[in-house]
């Protein structure tokens, strides 16, 4: 059974182990440096604290309360109508499928090559399947379908029943997919897709293969293209990665896991209209007394919190809720995830418990180079290789944020902050998608992992396409996957 003590996504300290961890090789680290010759950024702690504080420049103060931040069908300041809100939580699910670092220490410089990854660095849904029905039978029914619960006609993840009527830790392959009720229902959709395919093909191995391949198709042709743009994807697909080269694909780059792929934190809205006609619900209520009236995880799914997917993906019927723009501002909801420690006895300042500060500090602990160093290096290498650099350049001071000028360590910028700043730069993509540094890193890692996985559809059957009966108007995307899984029928 999964260990309920596993810390929340992005939190401090080591994670406890649990059943679905794959066997670890003590002689082989599962993380590496994409740019090993670039010097680490030595950013002062005071600068990181300034950026990541609950009253700092990264807090979005223009949320406008429950009404102002709720999608009404008309774009508002901060809305990114190019990417529906569901992709934020699909992105979180993808992250949990690729990486789980539970041994690094954010308070000191880590030896990256010695860190184990408790997930396989592949798009293989090990966060859903664990190690299979023989090793992890608690995830399965007797017929090798994945286990689900049915509470009064509401299908939910199976959960522990020892926490009362409202709460219950999910019994799944990765407890992080129960951090909120949105990502938990993405996880549930993949369970339902596997079970639907079991009915269609009758074989566990075949159903798992097809579920993985349909997932990989969505990752590559839907999620990635929306996130980084067709130009970058097409270049990496046709000519191959320049930086995430073949000999590196046994591991994940920390520039990806600790910086570039954490862009999703900027997309999170403070609240969501989960279903038409419902009441907007905050992702995390301001205090524990409101628990049950928000979308926090380890909560049994009820009818009023069952996602109406038309609010989160584009089915063509209504305009889905958009993500927020990818920029340096984060919703106050994320600053409520890690409240300051109660009482005066704690020696951890409240602002050092905030998600933004933790992300920035982890970048320093992993020895990440600055955004400037990475951008200049990538631009030179791409030019030398005759590859397009997509207007990669140094960001102007005003695009990095006036509040941060004069506070940057050695005059340079943390890589995670740079990735957000370049995405939000008006001279680039104005928050609609990742910029040239972040987008290139994410695209190369995604394509490289698929190319390096001998069981991916790109390798086993390069001409493969999703089932015709699963497509919608000839297209297979996340909306089509939700119809195929039975999670949406509208």
């Amino acid at each position: 059974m999964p260990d309920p003590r596993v810390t929340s996504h992005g939190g401090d300290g080591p994670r406890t182990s649990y059943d679905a961890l794959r066997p670890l090789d003590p002689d082989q680290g599962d993380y590496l440096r994409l740019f090993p010759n670039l010097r680490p950024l030595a950013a002062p702690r005071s600068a990181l604290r300034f950026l990541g504080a609950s009253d700092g420049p990264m807090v979005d103060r223009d949320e406008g309360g429950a009404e102002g931040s709720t999608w009404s069908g008309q774009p508002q300041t901060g809305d990114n109508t190019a990417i529906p809100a569901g992709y934020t939580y699909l992105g979180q699910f993808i992250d949990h499928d690729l990486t789980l670092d539970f041994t690094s220490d954010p308070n000191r410089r880590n030896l990256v090559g010695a860190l184990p990854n408790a997930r396989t660095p592949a798009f293989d849904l090990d966060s859903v399947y664990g190690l299979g029905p023989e090793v992890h039978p608690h995830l399965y029914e007797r017929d090798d379908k994945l286990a689900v619960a049915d509470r009064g006609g509401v299908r939910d993840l199976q959960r522990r029943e020892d926490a009362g009527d409202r709460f219950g830790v999910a019994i799944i392959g990765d407890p992080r997919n129960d951090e909120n009720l949105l990502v938990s229902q993405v996880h549930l959709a993949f369970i339902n897709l596997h079970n639907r395919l079991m009915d269609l093909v009758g074989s566990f191995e075949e159903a798992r293969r097809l579920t993985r391949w349909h997932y990989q198709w969505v990752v590559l042709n839907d999620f990635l293209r929306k996130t980084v743009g067709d130009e970058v994807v097409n270049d990496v697909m046709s000519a191959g990665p320049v930086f995430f080269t073949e000999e590196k694909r046994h591991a994940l780059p920390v520039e990806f896991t600790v910086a570039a792929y954490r862009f999703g934190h900027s997309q999170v809205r403070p609240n969501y209209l989960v279903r038409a006609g419902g009441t907007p619900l905050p992702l995390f209520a301001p205090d524990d007394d409101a628990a049950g009236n928000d979308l926090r995880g380890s909560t049994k799914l009820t009818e009023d919190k069952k996602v109406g997917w038309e609010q989160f993906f584009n089915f063509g019927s209504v305009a889905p809720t958009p993500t927020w723009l990818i920029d340096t501002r984060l919703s106050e909801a994320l600053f409520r995830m890690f409240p300051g420690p109660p009482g005066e006895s704690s020696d951890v300042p409240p602002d050092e418990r905030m998600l933004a500060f933790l992300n920035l500090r982890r970048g320093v602990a992993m020895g990440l180079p600055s955004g400037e160093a990475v951008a200049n290096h990538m631009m030179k290498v791409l030019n030398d290789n005759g590859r397009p650099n997509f207007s990669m350049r140094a960001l102007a001071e005003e695009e990095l944020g006036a509040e941060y000028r004069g506070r940057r360590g050695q005059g340079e910028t943390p890589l995670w902050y740079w990735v957000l700043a370049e995405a939000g730069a008006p001279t680039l993509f104005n928050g609609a998608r990742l910029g040239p540094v972040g987008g290139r890193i994410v695209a190369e890692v995604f394509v490289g992992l698929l190319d390096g996985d001998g069981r991916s559809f790109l390798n086993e059957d390069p001409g493969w396409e999703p089932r015709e009966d699963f497509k919608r108007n000839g297209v297979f995307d996340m909306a089509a996957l939700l119809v195929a899984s039975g999670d949406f029928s509208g």
Side-chain angles (χ1 to χ4, degrees):
M1 181 174 294
D3 191 328
R5 297 170 296 169
V6 174
T7 61
S8 297
H9 178 68
D12 263 352
R15 299 176 186 270
T16 53
S17 60
Y18 52 90
D19 282 351
L21 297 183
R22 67 183 181 83
L24 301 176
D25 180 352
D27 298 320
Q28 175 64 66
D30 290 331
Y31 297 94
L32 51 71
R33 298 191 187 282
L34 199 58
F35 310 108
N37 296 323
L38 299 183
R39 63 171 175 80
L41 173 65
R45 194 180 188 94
S46 60
L48 305 184
R49 190 184 301 116
F50 169 79
L51 272 183
S54 58
D55 60 352
M58 295 193 74
V59 182
D60 196 323
R61 296 183 178 83
D62 296 324
E63 294 183 355
E67 294 182 2
S69 60
T70 301
W71 174 244
S72 62
Q74 297 297 320
Q76 305 171 52
T77 301
D79 287 336
N80 179 12
T81 55
I83 304 180
Y87 289 93
T88 303
Y89 300 95
L90 174 60
Q92 185 180 20
F93 176 87
I94 292 169
D95 173 65
H96 296 170
D97 188 44
L98 294 178
T99 177
L100 171 54
D101 162 29
F102 63 96
T103 62
S104 63
D105 184 348
N107 295 303
R108 61 174 176 82
R109 182 64 56 80
N110 290 266
L111 183 60
V112 169
L115 297 175
N117 180 9
R119 297 259 70 88
T120 52
F123 298 103
D124 61 359
L125 294 175
D126 65 332
S127 60
V128 173
Y129 289 108
L131 295 177
E134 293 186 359
V135 179
H136 291 144
H138 60 279
L139 301 179
Y140 295 85
E141 304 289 357
R142 292 183 181 276
D143 58 2
D144 288 345
K145 288 186 175 180
L146 287 156
V148 294
D150 189 323
R151 298 184 185 90
V154 176
R155 290 172 64 84
D156 187 14
L157 303 175
Q158 58 173 346
R159 297 182 179 277
R160 288 175 51 167
E161 299 292 339
D162 58 358
D165 294 334
R166 179 184 298 171
F167 303 108
V169 173
I171 305 171
I172 51 179
D174 192 321
R176 297 173 300 166
N177 284 346
D178 193 29
E179 286 177 352
N180 60 71
L181 284 174
L182 300 178
V183 72
S184 74
Q185 291 181 72
V186 172
H187 187 107
L188 180 63
F190 283 97
I191 288 177
N192 291 336
L193 180 63
H194 168 85
N195 292 346
R196 167 88 189 281
L197 283 164
M198 281 290 293
D199 289 336
L200 292 173
V201 301
S203 159
F204 172 78
E205 292 298 336
E206 180 67 2
R208 181 168 61 175
R209 181 183 68 84
L210 288 173
T211 301
R212 285 172 170 168
W213 284 10
H214 283 85
Y215 163 60
Q216 291 168 6
W217 183 277
V218 166
V219 166
L220 179 63
N221 293 302
D222 187 16
F223 178 85
L224 185 61
R225 291 183 180 277
K226 282 184 171 62
T227 300
V228 310
D230 288 337
E231 190 177 15
V232 182
V233 176
N234 291 342
D235 177 69
V236 177
M237 286 289 293
S238 61
V242 173
F243 305 100
F244 192 48
T245 48
E246 189 172 350
E247 70 275 7
K248 297 178 180 178
R249 294 173 193 167
H250 66 280
L252 287 174
V254 289
E255 293 89 345
F256 169 83
T257 61
V258 181
Y261 199 67
R262 297 197 177 208
F263 72 90
H265 292 155
S266 179
Q267 295 179 307
V268 173
R269 302 181 71 93
N271 60 63
Y272 295 90
L273 185 64
V274 176
R275 55 194 301 109
T279 300
L281 295 172
L283 190 63
F284 301 104
D287 55 71
D288 287 339
D289 291 339
N293 296 315
D294 62 12
L295 296 171
R296 72 183 63 194
S298 298
T299 304
K300 295 176 182 177
L301 189 60
T302 54
E303 185 65 36
D304 62 319
K305 294 179 182 177
K306 185 178 178 182
V307 169
W309 287 118
E310 74 279 3
Q311 304 293 322
F312 289 84
F313 294 97
N314 188 4
F315 291 89
S317 53
V318 298
T321 301
T323 64
W324 270 8
L325 295 171
I326 306 172
D327 56 24
T328 58
R329 298 185 303 166
L330 275 62
S331 166
E332 280 190 302
L334 295 185
F335 289 84
R336 292 196 290 265
M337 284 177 62
F338 301 97
E344 299 180 357
S345 59
S346 174
D347 59 357
V348 180
D351 281 341
E352 295 195 2
R353 298 283 302 279
M354 299 294 112
L355 177 63
F357 173 80
L358 295 173
N359 280 347
L360 293 163
R361 185 179 65 174
R362 191 169 295 279
V364 172
M366 291 295 186
L368 295 187
S370 69
E372 288 87 347
V374 171
N376 290 333
H377 174 74
M378 291 178 72
M379 182 165 55
K380 181 180 185 304
V381 172
L382 288 169
N383 284 337
D384 289 349
N385 282 269
R387 302 286 285 276
N389 62 38
F390 309 109
S391 302
M392 190 175 292
R393 58 170 179 77
L395 292 174
E397 285 289 320
E398 59 268 22
E399 294 168 344
L400 287 172
E403 302 95 334
Y404 192 44
R405 284 184 234 168
R407 294 176 182 261
R408 287 175 286 159
Q410 302 178 14
E412 296 181 343
T413 311
L415 182 57
W416 177 58
Y417 191 84
W418 175 282
V419 167
L420 298 180
E422 68 164 9
T427 52
L428 291 173
F429 305 117
N430 206 27
R433 60 181 173 90
L434 286 177
V437 170
R440 185 88 197 185
I441 292 173
V442 171
E444 290 212 358
V445 170
F446 273 39
V447 174
L449 291 178
L450 285 168
D451 184 59
D453 177 5
R455 297 178 299 175
S456 73
F457 79 88
L458 286 182
N459 280 304
E460 283 201 0
D461 188 356
W464 178 85
E465 289 194 6
R467 289 174 58 112
E468 285 298 322
D469 57 336
F470 281 6
K471 295 179 181 179
R472 297 177 66 251
N473 301 318
V475 174
F476 188 78
D477 55 10
M478 189 60 188
L481 188 148
L482 289 164
V483 174
S485 70
D487 286 70
F488 184 80
S489 59

